[in-house]
Amino acid sequence: MNDSRAQAGEAEISGKDEGAARRSPEPPPDADKQAPPAAPREAPALRAGGWMVPAYAGALLLLFLGERVVPTIEWARYGLSGLGVATLILVTALRFATALRETGERRAVERALAILSALGVVAVAAYFSTTDAGRALLGVAKAAPDVRARVESATTVGWIALLVIATVPLFFGEAALAPMRRAERIEGRRVRAATLSGVTLAFAAVYSALFVYGASQLDLKADFSYYRTARPGDSTKRVAESLTEPLKITAFFPQLNEVGAEVEGYLREVQAASPQITVEMHDRLLVPALAKEAKVTQDGVIVLSRDTSRETLIVGSDIKTAGAKLKSLDADFQKALLKVVRSRRIAYLTVGHGEMNEAAGAAAADGRTARNLRKLLESQNYLVKDLGLAQGLGSEIPADAYVVVVLGPQKAFLPEEVAALKKYADGGGHLLLALDPDAKVDLDPLAGVVGLTWKPEILLNDRVYVRRRYNESDQAMLVTTRYSSHASVSTLSRHAQQAPTIFPGASSLDKQGGGDLKIDFVVRSLGETFADVDGNFKFDAQSEKRSAYNLAAAVSKELAPAEEGKEKKELRAFVVADADVFSDPAFRNEPNIVLALDAFRWLGGEESFAGEITTNEDVRIEHTKEKDQVWFWATILVAPAMVLGLGLFITRRGRRASGRRS
């Protein structure tokens, strides 16, 4: 028994030895010698594309050198350009061949890159159509000049856009593919993402370039700098156009001066408005004789001279101190220009009846003043004087009065004063009457001087008005854009929807029966307006009606035709049923300034000067208590709440999306 177990154990051991021998064959006799290293597994052939990007870029560089660097050397141009085109075509053909040889994702990637490469060849072909040979071959050279210009512009924009759209994604895709060229498999998604990024960037660049190109074709200029210069307004250009004799404008600024460059640009635009104007720019130190003749002793001075008339406008040469002058240059220049163009006129403002021009105390504190109107008259070369009983208002208006202004009297005029105004009007005088319903006195005799009737009931509009006191009285702050085509409101009429005027408490006007006066109601209220007869600030359908009421009238009557050396003798009157339309607070609204300016120009027979005066002066920003509260809560509470809500919405949306994916 023991012998059989031993035999079995020996058999098992021998079996194991035989298996081990089979698994571990004996080494050959020369095993002790060092075996040569195993040859590495053959890597995939270097696929096309690694060298094609430099070749493609080099071909484009050759084209640039041939067409832009040496275009006048025929042999160099044709040699470089021909080699560049041949290289582009060869590289593109090899790309398509590579795409046909590959399989799977690599084939799709190579095909996309080959298409981009072919698009670059198309861009070069489009460029060929802009050359002399291309234009002759396609017949563009024989086309009309305007057609040729349009075709050349379109093809130039086209080949540049195609080249950018082709090369940028091509280079992006190659950059993503380069690390994977030796790999068995590539990540096609990464290459596609890079290519699409290049496409997006290329289209963004093309769009930006086209936008800039299109903007450059528009004759528009926007200056957002702090020291921006006012451009010549329509009014200034029309004054220049009216010149019948030469006007010389001499500006004295140092060379390469920033303020001088701005002023020269303004003066050149004025010069373009009239052939009678000449503009000269000089350095005062280089032309001492000319500066002495013009009586200029400092830099930054503009001198306007016409015959024996001369006006000087000081701007300054330091941009830091001349900034304010540059902003109001158009208004200041027109003021000097009018002094040269015509003689100074006299405007009389009546006093002694609580007029707005002599307001004091509570009236002045409430803003019922007319300082800006006085400045406006002075800017139009008027000398402003007071006219009361001591100056002849009760007997006869002074003979040198070119226009008489009555601004919202709070007391009734004496019969003798009314008679003096009527005599002045009938003799061909010029009147501006501003009748205010707040006076609580009868101002109808003043309106009757020029054939009008005045209705003292205050006008309200409960639908369109301006908020001031935030109560029912604000309904009297009328807003209107209804203007006639009369010369006294020509500027407002041209820009009606963009130029609403404010009438802070107006009454209404109407015609008297009979008379031979020509009356035009030039400003009317909106159709929802009603006369508040009972003074309760509410519309009563039984006693009140909504209608368009007459707010301003232009009255004229020709008395004698114009003769040689004499102006036409004509009665002219501009009547407004609200004096506050010319007050300082109302002048914060620019259309109200335009209304007053055009009215005075029409009264002075200068309706051809009608237009806006441009100014870039800083406008004072005023905040009410209610506005401050709105801004406070909007910045402290509303804006942070909106940002927080948007963040929560995006976060919850992202979590839901990730939950659906999981």
Side-chain angles (χ1 to χ4, degrees):
M1 183 117 182
N2 293 333
D3 294 339
S4 62
R5 290 176 180 173
Q7 293 175 357
E10 292 175 358
E12 183 178 355
I13 293 171
S14 63
K16 290 181 178 180
D17 293 340
E18 291 177 0
R22 286 195 299 267
R23 288 193 300 271
S24 303
E26 293 183 6
D30 56 350
D32 56 338
K33 298 180 181 179
Q34 184 176 3
R41 186 175 58 189
E42 184 178 357
L46 182 60
R47 291 180 167 91
W51 58 272
M52 287 189 177
V53 173
Y56 198 87
L60 293 176
L61 179 60
L62 290 174
L63 272 171
F64 175 78
L65 294 175
E67 298 297 320
R68 290 290 183 266
V69 179
V70 291
T72 58
I73 306 174
E74 294 293 333
W75 64 269
R77 177 189 179 189
Y78 289 125
L80 293 174
S81 299
L83 182 59
V85 172
T87 304
L88 285 178
I89 296 175
L90 177 61
V91 170
T92 303
L94 289 176
R95 281 196 178 278
F96 278 103
T98 302
L100 293 175
R101 189 172 64 248
E102 299 291 352
T103 59
E105 285 193 347
R106 193 183 292 275
R107 182 173 187 175
V109 169
E110 292 289 354
R111 184 171 60 243
L113 298 179
I115 292 174
L116 292 173
S117 181
L119 188 60
V121 176
V122 174
V124 173
Y127 164 75
F128 175 75
S129 66
T130 64
T131 62
D132 294 337
R135 286 194 291 265
L137 181 63
L138 299 176
V140 178
K142 298 180 180 179
D146 56 339
V147 175
R148 185 167 64 249
R150 287 197 297 268
V151 172
E152 290 178 357
S153 299
T155 51
T156 300
V157 171
W159 78 260
I160 295 175
L162 283 176
L163 190 61
V164 172
I165 294 171
T167 54
V168 175
L170 177 63
F171 294 159
F172 273 50
E174 283 289 353
L177 182 60
M180 299 182 286
R181 283 203 172 277
R182 293 178 176 272
E184 287 289 340
R185 295 182 180 180
I186 64 172
E187 296 183 35
R189 184 172 58 182
R190 180 185 298 178
V191 180
R192 285 193 294 271
T195 305
L196 289 176
S197 299
V199 171
T200 303
L201 180 61
F203 272 102
V206 169
Y207 172 80
S208 301
L210 291 177
F211 180 83
V212 173
Y213 175 78
S216 66
Q217 302 305 306
L218 297 176
D219 189 16
L220 298 174
K221 180 180 179 181
D223 187 356
F224 297 100
S225 59
Y226 180 73
Y227 292 113
R228 58 189 180 274
T229 304
R231 309 320 305 167
D234 293 338
S235 177
T236 303
K237 292 179 180 179
R238 287 172 181 156
V239 175
E241 291 171 359
S242 68
L243 289 171
T244 57
E245 297 180 7
L247 171 68
K248 183 179 179 181
I249 304 175
T250 308
F252 295 91
F253 288 89
Q255 294 182 348
L256 303 178
N257 181 261
E258 189 174 358
V259 180
E262 294 290 330
V263 171
E264 183 176 9
Y266 174 88
L267 296 179
R268 295 301 179 191
E269 290 189 42
V270 175
Q271 182 184 18
S274 174
Q276 299 288 345
I277 298 178
T278 57
V279 175
E280 296 180 1
M281 303 292 296
H282 293 288
D283 188 331
R284 176 177 58 89
L285 300 179
L286 297 179
V287 287
L290 184 61
K292 183 178 180 180
E293 181 184 356
K295 299 181 180 179
V296 174
T297 59
Q298 64 182 37
D299 292 326
V301 178
I302 304 173
V303 178
L304 295 82
S305 56
R306 175 175 172 265
D307 292 336
T308 58
S309 300
R310 176 179 295 171
E311 287 295 326
T312 300
L313 176 60
I314 300 176
V315 179
S317 57
D318 186 357
I319 189 65
K320 294 182 179 179
T321 57
K325 286 288 186 178
L326 291 177
K327 294 177 182 180
S328 61
L329 180 59
D330 189 47
D332 297 337
F333 180 83
Q334 185 184 123
K335 183 177 180 180
L337 180 61
L338 286 172
K339 291 180 180 180
V340 174
V341 170
R342 62 166 169 78
S343 59
R344 199 171 194 183
R345 296 171 174 176
I346 298 178
Y348 281 96
L349 274 64
T350 61
V351 295
H353 312 86
E355 284 91 342
M356 195 162 54
N357 48 286
E358 59 172 355
D366 194 37
R368 196 175 181 276
T369 55
R371 288 187 292 267
N372 288 328
L373 183 68
R374 181 183 290 267
K375 292 179 181 178
L376 183 66
L377 281 168
E378 292 172 348
S379 71
Q380 298 302 299
N381 200 22
Y382 279 92
L383 176 62
V384 181
K385 295 183 178 181
D386 291 339
L387 177 61
L389 288 175
Q391 291 79 28
L393 180 58
S395 55
E396 186 174 2
I397 305 298
D400 60 352
Y402 198 88
V403 61
V404 175
V405 182
V406 181
L407 284 179
Q410 300 297 298
K411 300 177 182 177
F413 273 56
L414 297 174
E416 293 79 8
E417 294 173 325
V418 175
L421 289 174
K422 182 168 178 56
K423 180 181 178 182
Y424 170 73
D426 293 341
H430 304 149
L431 289 171
L432 187 141
L433 305 177
L435 311 178
D436 204 298
D438 295 335
K440 307 302 181 184
V441 296
D442 186 14
L443 301 178
D444 192 57
L446 285 175
V449 169
V450 289
L452 295 173
T453 59
W454 175 69
K455 299 179 179 180
E457 293 83 6
I458 192 168
L459 301 180
L460 302 180
N461 190 322
D462 53 2
R463 300 175 185 175
V464 181
Y465 56 91
V466 176
R467 284 285 189 186
R468 181 172 61 176
R469 294 186 175 89
Y470 290 86
N471 54 37
E472 292 180 341
S473 66
D474 289 340
Q475 298 176 27
M477 298 282 291
L478 303 183
V479 179
T480 184
T481 56
R482 300 189 61 177
Y483 314 110
S484 74
S485 58
H486 193 266
S488 61
V489 290
S490 58
T491 305
L492 294 174
S493 180
R494 286 195 302 270
H495 310 283
Q497 297 306 315
Q498 295 80 31
T501 47
I502 300 175
F503 285 74
S507 50
S508 60
L509 302 169
D510 209 342
K511 292 182 181 180
Q512 285 184 348
D516 54 354
L517 297 174
K518 182 180 179 182
I519 300 176
D520 293 283
F521 291 107
V522 295
V523 183
R524 307 188 75 194
S525 68
L526 300 180
E528 305 90 352
T529 307
F530 61 94
D532 189 24
V533 179
D534 51 13
N536 62 353
F537 291 98
K538 294 181 180 179
F539 175 68
D540 299 321
Q542 289 81 8
S543 58
E544 300 167 352
K545 68 173 183 176
R546 298 184 184 273
S547 180
Y549 291 83
N550 303 318
L551 301 178
V555 184
S556 61
K557 180 182 179 181
E558 185 174 340
L559 302 176
E563 299 178 0
E564 185 176 355
K566 294 184 179 180
E567 295 182 4
K568 178 174 63 174
K569 194 173 184 180
E570 182 181 20
L571 179 157
R572 288 194 175 189
F574 192 85
V575 186
V576 183
D578 179 20
D580 292 326
V581 74
F582 298 139
S583 66
D584 290 338
F587 266 31
R588 295 174 186 170
N589 181 45
E590 188 173 348
N592 284 57
I593 302 176
V594 176
L595 175 65
L597 188 59
D598 281 4
F600 280 115
R601 284 171 176 158
W602 176 75
L603 288 173
E606 298 173 334
E607 53 267 29
S608 61
F609 297 173
E612 298 179 55
I613 299 175
T614 60
T615 177
N616 291 317
E617 290 185 288
D618 296 329
V619 179
R620 183 182 178 185
I621 300 175
E622 296 185 357
H623 295 286
T624 62
K625 182 178 180 180
E626 292 78 7
K627 289 182 180 179
D628 289 338
Q629 289 179 350
V630 170
W631 280 108
F632 175 79
W633 291 113
T635 54
I636 298 301
L637 182 61
V638 177
M642 292 177 62
V643 174
L644 179 61
L646 181 61
L648 292 174
F649 172 75
I650 295 175
T651 303
R652 289 176 61 86
R653 186 177 180 182
R655 289 177 178 175
R656 291 176 182 174
S658 61
R660 288 195 297 268
R661 286 196 298 269
S662 63

